[in-house]
Amino acid sequence: NFDYISVKVPALTALRSSNLHIANTAVQYLTTYGNSREANSYRRLAKDTTLHPQIQIGLLAAANSKMPSYFVEYKGRINFDLRRIYESTEDSYLRAQALTAMGYFPRMYRYIGELDLSAEAPVIQTAKMEALRLICRDAAFRAAMGTSVNRATREIGAYLLKGIESGDVGQVAIASSALRMPERNFATILVDSVGILETALANLEIPKEIEAYNELNQTIAFFKGTTYEETKPDFNHSIKWDIVDRVNEKARATIKTAKGDITLKFYKSLAPATVANFVQLAESGYFNGKNFHRVVPNFVIQGGCNRGDGYGAESFSIRSELPPIRYEREGMIGMASAGLHTEGTQFFITHSPALHLNGKYTIFAEVVNGMQVVHDIQVGDKIESISVELPEIVENTES
């Protein structure tokens, strides 16, 4: 909310913060509000190997975002650096970050679109579609493409359709939303593609892939010039009362990570179905080895996705439980969802109060120990295991 000149120095200083959340927030600020005249300085700063790799890539994203498209040579250098990182880094989340950052330069569409990612991690496949979506919404799209704008639009549309035809739920969801961007006019350019979209729709599973299902339905309606009302599935997973009966106020769960343990207590009386589901998943080893795929500084860390990109789910959903309890402090644990009664395996832990979540996302537990670990978690960090202790309460029988 402040003028760039007045906050430039603290923003650049924060890039070197020992707290990676602060550094990431600073680089996100530059990507959104940075100065185009200083875009090349962001690129030069990204070469500083003392910076965390996330921050180096973020600075290249900021440079790519703010550098005007007519500076083709400078844009080329930025994206050469991003390609080098993408092609040489083994970390899937850093590769996904670099690939997405290329989406700030529309002329990268062919390199991105031609990538064969069928053997790559889902988070990288999803990043490919996200990069193409960024290109589609770029305000400088026409200026960047020049006389090739029509051909480029058709080619990008074809890449998006391939993403949908892949059947990969993350690609389907993101490509569907990109195809609805009115400024690209895909509904006219790809007018004969409704059959492809409807075939893909028939292969989606409800409620497992409800987010992609609704996105694709909206795109089909957009192509046909009609409207679509979102499908809202009912839960199909009954409450495991035998598990509920085993949980009491002494029950604890411990999330083990390489950065330490996070201990939580349950809100059994407020969210019995959710608590039972979480305990069942934990005891089965479901969470073991899964990533924290989403980390938003000063907001949440999120894990439990079987794909590692936020689009994963199982073939069941549990009921939403929304009693009068609020996200009013750090360490509240809630269930991620794509709407009412679509919760399943993904959960999040808040860094701070998040009042806008109240009444929308089930709260089923809170952190009682290890909150510093929550603050230390970064995207890609793994859940080694989640163990559950359900001690019996011994009643005092003395008269």
Side-chain angles (χ1 to χ4, degrees):
N1 294 324
F2 291 87
D3 180 78
Y4 175 76
I5 297 302
S6 68
V7 296
K8 169 187 170 182
V9 172
L12 292 175
T13 302
L15 296 172
R16 301 184 182 280
S17 173
S18 59
N19 185 329
L20 189 54
H21 293 307
I22 293 174
N24 266 318
T25 302
V27 84
Q28 289 166 14
Y29 170 80
L30 295 176
T31 303
T32 306
Y33 301 109
N35 192 306
S36 61
R37 292 188 296 274
E38 300 188 13
N40 204 43
S41 70
Y42 304 153
R43 173 182 173 263
R44 290 195 299 269
L45 185 54
K47 293 182 178 296
D48 185 345
T49 56
T50 65
L51 294 171
H52 191 282
Q54 285 184 32
I55 306 307
Q56 291 181 284
I57 298 171
L59 282 165
L60 290 171
N64 216 17
S65 171
K66 293 307 171 187
M67 181 71 71
S69 291
Y70 50 80
F71 287 117
V72 176
E73 182 180 349
Y74 287 111
K75 281 278 200 178
R77 293 175 186 173
I78 295 166
N79 287 278
F80 174 82
D81 291 344
L82 286 168
R83 283 181 59 175
R84 178 177 52 80
I85 293 170
Y86 170 76
E87 293 169 1
S88 64
T89 303
E90 294 184 2
D91 186 299
S92 294
Y93 289 89
L94 291 177
R95 294 183 69 204
Q97 184 187 1
L99 184 56
T100 301
M102 295 179 210
Y104 288 110
F105 185 32
R107 290 195 181 188
M108 288 297 292
Y109 81 89
R110 190 170 286 157
Y111 170 81
I112 296 167
E114 292 295 332
L115 289 172
D116 180 7
L117 303 181
S118 56
E120 297 287 357
V123 68
I124 298 176
Q125 297 180 35
T126 301
K128 172 181 176 177
M129 289 299 119
E130 183 57 46
L132 291 174
R133 181 165 64 178
L134 278 173
I135 288 171
C136 289
R137 65 162 62 114
D138 195 313
F141 182 88
R142 286 188 169 276
M145 298 304 182
T147 57
S148 301
V149 63
N150 291 332
R151 182 187 67 192
T153 304
R154 286 193 297 271
E155 290 182 13
I156 292 171
Y159 293 139
L160 294 172
L161 284 177
K162 284 184 179 179
I164 290 175
E165 286 183 296
S166 74
D168 177 83
V169 63
Q171 293 189 63
V172 171
I174 296 173
S176 295
S177 68
L179 287 172
R180 295 199 303 276
M181 293 182 180
E183 58 269 37
R184 298 285 77 86
N185 198 29
F186 287 125
T188 299
I189 296 170
L190 305 174
V191 65
D192 296 326
S193 302
V194 173
I196 294 175
L197 304 181
E198 291 178 332
T199 298
L201 182 69
N203 291 324
L204 293 177
E205 182 182 341
I206 304 298
K208 180 179 181 180
E209 297 166 331
I210 185 61
E211 189 171 358
Y213 182 85
N214 280 327
E215 288 284 1
L216 187 50
N217 262 309
Q218 289 183 54
T219 301
I220 291 171
F222 178 76
F223 273 45
K224 291 182 175 181
T226 59
T227 58
Y228 168 70
E229 185 175 343
E230 277 198 356
T231 296
K232 297 180 180 179
D234 253 338
F235 57 87
N236 62 2
H237 200 53
S238 59
I239 299 177
K240 305 300 181 183
W241 291 109
D242 58 325
I243 298 178
V244 174
D245 289 341
R246 292 163 52 209
V247 177
N248 55 51
E249 64 265 26
K250 289 188 176 182
R252 297 290 185 268
T254 301
I255 303 172
K256 292 188 175 297
T257 78
K259 292 180 176 175
D261 294 350
I262 304 165
T263 303
L264 59 92
K265 72 174 182 179
F266 297 110
Y267 294 154
K268 166 186 168 178
S269 63
L270 299 176
T274 309
V275 169
N277 178 63
F278 185 87
V279 170
Q280 183 179 32
L281 290 169
E283 291 184 331
S284 72
Y286 181 86
F287 296 114
N288 298 359
K290 290 183 171 56
N291 302 94
F292 284 104
H293 63 273
R294 182 178 183 228
V295 176
V296 183
N298 202 36
F299 181 36
V300 297
I301 63 172
Q302 186 168 320
C305 174
N306 59 12
R307 289 169 47 92
D309 66 348
Y311 285 95
E314 299 299 333
S315 298
F316 69 88
S317 63
I318 60 175
R319 68 192 73 203
S320 300
E321 296 173 295
L322 304 171
I325 184 172
R326 299 173 175 82
Y327 290 94
E328 58 190 4
R329 59 184 180 276
E330 68 178 13
M332 305 300 283
I333 305 176
M335 292 297 292
S337 76
L340 200 64
H341 305 317
T342 61
E343 294 88 341
T345 67
Q346 293 189 43
F347 65 93
F348 58 84
I349 307 175
T350 60
H351 284 147
S352 58
L355 304 184
H356 63 291
L357 302 181
N358 291 339
K360 300 176 184 177
Y361 297 88
T362 300
I363 302 174
F364 70 96
E366 71 170 297
V367 174
V368 292
N369 192 31
M371 193 62 214
Q372 186 54 52
V373 178
V374 176
H375 289 303
D376 290 341
I377 291 294
Q378 298 298 329
V379 66
D381 284 345
K382 288 187 181 295
I383 299 170
E384 294 179 354
S385 66
I386 299 182
S387 59
V388 180
E389 297 179 17
L390 303 175
E392 294 183 7
I393 295 179
V394 179
E395 296 184 6
N396 187 345
T397 58
E398 294 182 6
S399 59

